[in-house]
């Protein structure tokens, strides 16, 4: 699935552009939306030379797999498998205790090729999101991955990461519900009054629509105007913002179609070498 963010006012949210992308696209952010794309899989039919009994058994197995309801955890977060959007890197469903931790903060550091990006996760604001993120960190899901999207719109300035495939289409093979902010100030640049300020330093989830959170997230390096459709689950520390500023200063990689893009792969490739949780905070 692809995740996106909205870009320019009046433009559909991008998954690579933003939220306007369908689940068949990939993770994308538009100049006004942050979206994650989705991938689909299909079963090939047996060849004409296949044994009839084997073909029948294969068809029955495929039918069972297609009709069997996706597995969902039984706790309050209800993490749900997405069989049509398999994991970009194998990982089990997160733990989902009846009493999901909802107090305190947790430190995670993304060790990148441009320097560290320190994150403070807020359990009280988004307990299910933090639980999932820490699960993926613990399973080394984010290690040796690249951040596939950088935006430099006047109203959307983010770095989007979290897809091991590096395409914006990949995720963890499960989804879970939103934990949306309710107290963000209106974006002064939005005449419609629908967008809110996702401030510099915010850490939030990209998605492909309501309740489709997975593994892709975005780091806000300058105040951005977005509809409040993205879960905020932490903040970036000063050293991390300095790292983001260096990445943003490099701009977006030019293409043959667009020699001066404001949305696309970072001109300075960004690799997350390792994501590490601190147990001393």
């Amino acid at each position: 699935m692809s995740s996106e963010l909205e870009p320019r006012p009046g433009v559909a949210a991008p998954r690579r552009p933003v939220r306007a992308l369908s689940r068949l696209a990939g993770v994308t952010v538009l100049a006004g939306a942050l979206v994650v794309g989705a991938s689909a899989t299909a079963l090939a039919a047996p060849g004409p030379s296949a044994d009839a009994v084997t073909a029948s058994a294969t068809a029955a197995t495929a039918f069972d797999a297609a009709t069997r309801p996706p597995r969902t955890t039984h706790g309050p977060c209800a993490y749900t498998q997405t069989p049509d959007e398999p994991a970009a890197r194998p990982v089990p469903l997160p733990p989902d205790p009846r009493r999901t931790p909802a107090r305190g903060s947790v430190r995670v550091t993304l060790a990148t090729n441009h320097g560290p990006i320190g994150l403070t996760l807020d359990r009280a604001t988004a307990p299910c999101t933090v639980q999932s993120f820490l699960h993926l960190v613990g399973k080394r899901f984010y290690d040796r991955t690249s951040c596939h999207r950088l935006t430099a719109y006047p109203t959307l300035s983010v770095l989007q990461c979290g897809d091991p495939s590096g395409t914006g289409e990949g995720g963890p093979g499960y989804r879970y519900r939103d934990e949306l902010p309710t107290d963000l100030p209106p974006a002064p640049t939005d005449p419609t009054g629908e967008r809110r300020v996702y401030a510099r330093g915010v850490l939030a989830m990209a998605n492909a629509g309501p309740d489709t959170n997975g593994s892709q997230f975005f780091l806000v390096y300058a105040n951005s105007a977005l509809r409040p459709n993205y879960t905020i689950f932490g903040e970036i520390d000063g050293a991390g913002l300095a790292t983001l500023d260096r990445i943003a200063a490099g701009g977006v990689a030019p293409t043959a179609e667009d020699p001066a893009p404001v949305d696309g792969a970072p001109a300075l490739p960004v690799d997350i070498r390792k994501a590490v949780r601190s147990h001393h905070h």
Side-chain angles (χ1 to χ4, degrees):
M1 123 179 30
S2 82
S3 301
E4 301 181 18
L5 294 176
E6 311 172 36
R8 293 157 291 185
V11 176
R15 211 220 238 173
R16 183 184 143 345
V18 210
R19 265 184 147 279
L21 294 187
S22 72
R23 289 181 61 83
L24 293 180
V27 177
T28 308
V29 178
L30 292 183
L34 286 166
V35 181
V36 174
S39 60
T41 59
L43 290 173
S49 62
D51 178 85
V53 174
T54 301
S56 177
T58 300
T61 299
F63 177 78
D64 289 344
T67 57
R68 186 182 306 123
R71 184 183 165 215
T72 299
T73 58
H74 300 297
C77 297
Y79 301 110
T80 303
Q81 288 181 324
T82 54
D84 57 331
E85 298 166 11
R89 181 176 287 176
V91 65
L93 291 175
D96 191 6
R98 184 168 63 84
R99 294 184 178 178
T100 301
R103 297 178 62 184
S105 61
V106 183
R107 286 276 299 174
V108 168
T109 299
L110 305 179
T112 81
N113 57 321
H114 295 285
I117 299 178
L119 309 174
T120 299
L121 313 185
D122 186 349
R123 290 189 185 275
T125 297
C128 292
T129 303
V130 171
Q131 181 85 350
S132 172
F133 192 82
L134 292 176
H135 168 70
L136 295 175
V137 167
K139 295 298 181 182
R140 304 183 68 177
F141 186 87
Y142 294 124
D143 293 4
R144 303 178 308 283
T145 62
S146 62
C147 295
H148 63 278
R149 185 183 185 193
L150 179 70
T151 69
Y153 297 101
T155 56
L156 182 65
S157 302
V158 306
L159 178 68
Q160 188 168 342
C161 315
D163 170 15
S165 76
T167 64
E169 302 286 332
Y174 65 84
R175 60 178 171 77
Y176 59 95
R177 64 184 176 82
D178 295 322
E179 296 172 294
L180 301 178
T182 58
D183 58 353
L184 300 179
T189 56
D190 179 23
T192 69
E194 297 178 356
R195 291 175 175 78
R196 298 290 182 269
V197 175
Y198 277 66
R200 171 176 165 86
V202 155
L203 168 66
M205 291 301 296
N207 63 51
D211 302 320
T212 60
N213 298 290
S215 62
Q216 293 189 40
F217 59 93
F218 61 97
L219 307 155
V220 183
Y221 65 87
N223 287 4
S224 298
L226 288 164
R227 290 182 176 83
N229 298 331
Y230 308 96
T231 297
I232 292 175
F233 66 106
E235 60 183 16
I236 307 159
D237 67 11
L241 285 172
T243 297
L244 286 173
D245 288 342
R246 289 193 291 274
I247 295 168
V252 179
T255 64
E257 298 75 23
D258 189 350
V262 291
D263 190 340
L268 301 176
V270 182
D271 300 317
I272 297 176
R273 293 170 173 167
K274 191 174 184 62
V276 182
R277 174 180 178 176
S278 171
H279 294 276
H280 304 290
H281 186 72

